[in-house]
Amino acid sequence: MKGLWLENNQLQLRTDIAIPEPPPGEALVRVLRAGICNTDLELLRGYYPYTGILGHEFVGVVEQGPEHLVNKRVVGEINAVCGHCRFCCSGQSTHCENRTVLGIVNRNGAFGEYLCLPIENLHPVPDNVPTEVATFTEPIAAALEIQQQVPLHPNNRVLVVGDGKLGQLVAQTLALTGCELLAVGRHQDKLANLEARGIKTGLANAVKDGYFDISVECTGNPEGFAIARRALRPRGTLVLKSTYSGKLSLDASSLVVDEITLIGSRCGPFAPALQLLATGQVNVQPLIHATYPLIEGLAAFEHAQSRGVLKILLDISH
């Protein structure tokens, strides 16, 4: 089969990859559509020493698996877990000590014609959700994880830093809580997507230092972190949603003096994410900038790394 293969930080289109054989408890999924994520771009830059097929945001059709899923469109949670380590047994399976992660850690990903995942990881896509829209399930779930980790109330002052793919989804999901929300970024055209949904936006200089209870950093760069940190009141909460390919410098003393809570946040719940898409409470269509066939995958990655670009999709079925 064909797939986009990463090795030694070099990406290539291979046509000689064996179609995987699903082990017991797993299903074989024919991939229809997949999205290029910032994590994929960070893996190219050496964020983690991964070798294999990239990609973890996908929609596919089950070809081998349980009868109730065969020939159904599905999305899939990316962590394949052991079920018996201390994290699995305590309900924290996304931190499984023995996990593989689709397209990230020891498991070939979605930028190939087929993939395997545990049956328990798969979620049917509602009939009214288009395939290209459903590719956003994984990042919307990641955005919703914030609400699993931090209690949010209408009187909370919340800042989202970053107007890229993740920042847009985080802002849309946080807006549903009724909090006092401000999303800031560098691109007025991107911020307009959020303004169209009634979300208050601004440029970085619109941020009032020490004003916010919670700030969410979605840029993956030191400048974004600095803005998110400065915005917090004492005893505020800083949520980090982005992966960083390099090291991040910070003023640890100020975190101590202001008693700042620092929270890392990544994977989240799929069922509520699919529900938001099915009911139209999150709009992802404006985020899709282009779709490429898999054979043009290298050009797709070049496009995805261009300044100002939001989501690039790969049509794996063509």
Side-chain angles (χ1 to χ4, degrees):
M1 70 174 190
K2 295 187 290 293
L4 291 180
W5 185 272
L6 178 66
E7 189 166 352
N8 297 322
N9 296 349
Q10 297 294 316
L11 191 64
Q12 60 178 308
L13 175 65
R14 287 180 52 181
T15 60
D16 61 347
I17 303 169
I19 295 175
E21 287 286 338
E26 298 200 9
L28 178 69
V29 179
R30 176 171 52 85
V31 184
L32 299 176
R33 204 71 52 92
I36 298 176
C37 168
N38 277 355
T39 300
D40 300 315
L41 303 180
E42 295 291 353
L43 285 165
L44 283 181
R45 301 176 187 126
Y47 153 65
Y48 183 84
Y50 174 71
T51 296
I53 300 173
L54 282 176
H56 57 276
E57 302 176 3
F58 78 94
V59 181
V61 173
V62 175
E63 290 210 343
Q64 295 180 38
E67 186 176 344
H68 72 281
L69 287 179
V70 170
N71 296 325
K72 297 289 180 62
R73 287 186 307 155
V74 294
V75 291
E77 299 184 42
I78 68 176
N79 296 283
V81 303
C82 72
H84 54 73
C85 72
R86 57 178 174 151
F87 291 104
C88 288
C89 291
S90 61
Q92 303 173 78
S93 60
T94 57
H95 292 281
C96 169
E97 295 173 317
N98 306 302
R99 74 185 184 274
T100 60
V101 187
L102 188 72
I104 300 174
V105 182
N106 297 328
R107 178 177 286 264
N108 281 333
F111 298 156
E113 293 176 290
Y114 292 89
L115 62 80
C116 292
L117 272 177
I119 293 164
E120 63 190 13
N121 286 43
L122 301 178
H123 297 258
V125 176
D127 290 341
N128 69 323
V129 178
T131 294
E132 67 272 13
V133 169
T135 59
F136 286 82
T137 305
E138 195 277 336
I140 292 173
L144 288 172
E145 178 68 5
I146 296 167
Q147 297 176 44
Q148 304 281 317
Q149 296 170 293
V150 182
L152 280 159
H153 307 286
N155 63 344
N156 287 143
R157 299 169 174 177
V158 182
L159 174 70
V160 174
V161 182
D163 56 15
K165 301 180 288 290
L166 184 57
Q168 298 253 341
L169 297 176
V170 166
Q172 287 195 51
T173 54
L174 290 177
L176 299 173
T177 70
C179 66
E180 181 186 331
L181 178 66
L182 174 66
V184 298
R186 297 175 175 173
H187 311 93
Q188 199 60 56
D189 57 332
K190 295 181 182 179
L191 293 173
N193 292 333
L194 297 175
E195 291 168 1
R197 299 192 66 80
I199 296 171
K200 184 179 178 183
T201 69
L203 300 177
N205 58 12
V207 177
K208 182 178 179 181
D209 290 356
Y211 178 82
F212 293 89
D213 304 303
I214 300 159
S215 60
V216 185
E217 203 292 291
C218 298
T219 69
N221 67 60
E223 183 180 348
F225 179 90
I227 293 168
R229 168 63 191 96
R230 289 199 310 267
L232 286 173
R233 62 163 174 81
R235 292 201 170 181
T237 299
L238 174 53
V239 181
L240 299 182
K241 284 302 300 184
S242 296
T243 52
Y244 293 77
S245 61
K247 302 296 182 182
L248 179 67
S249 298
L250 55 84
D251 180 358
S253 294
S254 77
L255 299 178
V256 174
V257 171
D258 285 346
E259 297 183 324
I260 298 299
T261 298
L262 188 64
I263 295 178
S265 182
R266 50 181 184 88
C267 301
F270 267 51
L274 283 167
Q275 180 66 15
L276 290 182
L277 291 173
T279 55
Q281 293 183 77
V282 172
N283 183 18
V284 301
Q285 290 284 6
L287 308 186
I288 302 173
H289 273 188
T291 301
Y292 288 76
L294 177 59
I295 59 172
E296 296 179 20
L298 298 182
F301 262 79
E302 286 293 324
H303 194 174
Q305 295 177 79
S306 302
R307 184 179 297 275
V309 171
L310 288 171
K311 182 64 73 177
I312 302 297
L313 299 180
L314 289 171
D315 185 345
I316 310 295
S317 59
H318 289 91

